[in-house]
Structures are given as structure tokens and as C-alpha cells.
Amino acid sequence: MTGLRYVYAVCRPLGAPLQAQLTGIGGAPPALLAHRGLVAVVSTVPEADFCEEGLKAHLEDLDWLAATARAHQGVIDALTTVTTPLPLRLATVFRDDSGVRSMMEARETDFLHALDRLEGRVEWGVKVFTEPPPEPATDERARTAATGEKSDKPMSGRDYLRRRRADTRAHEADLQAAESFADALHQRLGAHAEASRLHPPQSASLSGARGRNVLNAAYLVPRNRSEEFVELVDRTKDEAGGLRVELTGPWAAYSFSGFAEEDARHGASAGEGR
């Protein structure tokens, strides 16, 4: 079986070695491929899995996709501890080392400009969620909630609809307050970051997170100011008023390098560089 060259990221020559036990896609240790002052972090992967036909088949296998994404992210995380990596899109592959070097040479100016801009900086993610609304109260439960007393008399249809409208108005008011909090938080955190990026809200059905996502943002922060940024986020949790604030990171600057998104727009994937 032949192999393809899988590229995780591009960076400058490392000032420290990667973790000795680090493994990438398929359990193989990543290698460093140098070219003109840049380094591509690569692995050899089976062509049967990463050719166009193989990837199409694997798109239906969520377990395979999850394992591949975890291995990819593990390499990026390890790189982030020793350098500033520019992550490439998941499943960016080339026929051989020559194809990888050609890519680095063609994009050398862009890579070097991005590395200058992002050197010493990391990405932090902040999400804000509402708590899931309670189940609609019906009949006896609605009456008990409204009056604190139980009754053998069933709730009328008119009373039930009135109760439902009140619940809906209360939920809408809570959602508006949550969105106002999220907007204010984004402005505050953005003032303590060099750049920020708003991402589309996460779908609860895809993420599995509880509640509605009202803020999904990324912040570019100098590494030496990360502790201050984390403390700021932690302080805002006391002001959230029942909302859930989640902080993730530090990550490589996915949202600010432009390369993972650029590769997606230009279709970089299995078979590129053949």
C-alpha cells in the first residue's frame, strides 16, 4: 500500500524538540520537512484512506473522523507548546515531499507574514449558553406553580393558554437579557485581546451542549497576557446571572491565521499536489 504526505501545520524551525511520545494520524510520529526557512509537520498516511474515494467513504464513519480529528489536534497542541504553528485544514495531503515543498514555496510570503503577525500569540475561545428552559407546565403543575396550591379542578383551556403565553414572554425576556450580556462580554474581552472573531452559534443537536449558544467567539491574546485574560473571563462568570460561560484554550490561532479557512475555500484536501 502506498502512502501520502499528510500536513498538519507549517511553522518556523523549532527551538525545542517535539514530545518524544507524540503520535499523529494512524499512530505514526510526525516528521519535520524543512524548506526555505519554513517547516512542514507531516506524517505518511495510507493512500487508501486519504485519496478522494477513500475520504468520501470515511465521511460516513463518524468514529473514524473523530479519531482522525483528535490525532490532528494532538499534533497541533504539541506544536503550540514549542512554537507558533499555522494549522492547515484537516486531511490536507500531497503525493510526496516534493509536493509539500512546492506548496511551501508557492505560499512562502503568506506563511512568513502570518508567522510574523501571530508570533507569541494564542487563541482563546469563549462561549456563553443559556440554561435549557423548563418543560411547559400543564394542568395541575401549572396551577401549583402559579398559586402554590393544589386543586382537584382541571385548568381551563383559556387559563392554560394564558399560562403558556406568560411562559413564552418570560423565556423571550431571558433570551434578550442573555444576548445583551453576551454582547457586553464580547466587547469587554475584545478590548483585552489583539483581535477577536465571532463564529456562528453552535447547534445544540450537533455539539450536544445544554442550552442555547448566544456567544461563540475567539480572541487572539499574547501568550504572556493569557493569565490576565483567563482571570477576566473567570470574573465575568459571577455576573452571568444563571448563564453558563465556557473558556477553552490556549489554542493555535486557527481563527486568525486564515490558512485552514483558505484551504477550505480553495478545496485543499486529499490528493492536493499530485
Side-chain angles (χ1 to χ4, degrees), residues 93-189:
V93 296
F94 295 82
R95 173 62 68 186
D96 50 29
D97 288 352
S98 177
V100 179
R101 289 192 172 98
S102 295
M103 178 272 293
M104 286 195 286
E105 184 165 346
R107 304 172 73 176
E108 179 181 12
T109 300
D110 291 338
F111 283 141
L112 290 175
H113 177 73
L115 287 168
D116 287 341
R117 180 168 49 87
L118 299 175
E119 183 69 31
R121 293 157 178 82
V122 292
E123 176 175 327
W124 290 92
V126 177
K127 297 181 178 67
V128 177
F129 296 89
T130 65
E131 292 298 338
E135 295 182 5
T138 59
D139 295 342
E140 183 60 27
R141 284 189 301 147
R143 182 183 303 278
T144 302
T147 66
E149 298 179 356
K150 292 186 177 182
S151 171
D152 295 331
K153 183 179 180 180
M155 177 181 285
S156 70
R158 178 177 297 178
D159 288 341
Y160 173 73
L161 291 176
R162 185 182 296 116
R163 180 67 184 180
R164 288 297 301 272
R165 284 195 295 268
D167 289 344
T168 299
R169 286 194 296 270
H171 177 63
E172 290 174 348
D174 288 345
L175 181 58
Q176 184 175 6
E179 291 174 342
S180 295
F181 172 83
D183 289 342
L185 177 60
H186 178 59
Q187 294 298 321
R188 188 188 311 181
L189 297 180

Side-chain angles (χ1 to χ4, degrees), residues 208-222:
R210 295 181 294 107
R212 180 167 176 171
N213 183 206
V214 293
L215 177 67
N216 182 15
Y219 302 91
L220 184 67
V221 180

Side-chain angles (χ1 to χ4, degrees), residues 38 42 66 81 85 89 104 142 149 177 188 193 199 202 230 238 242 269 271:
L38 293 170
V42 302
T81 66
R89 186 190 182 199
M104 286 195 286
E149 298 179 356
R188 188 188 311 181
H199 294 302
Q202 286 186 327
V230 171
D238 296 332
S269 60

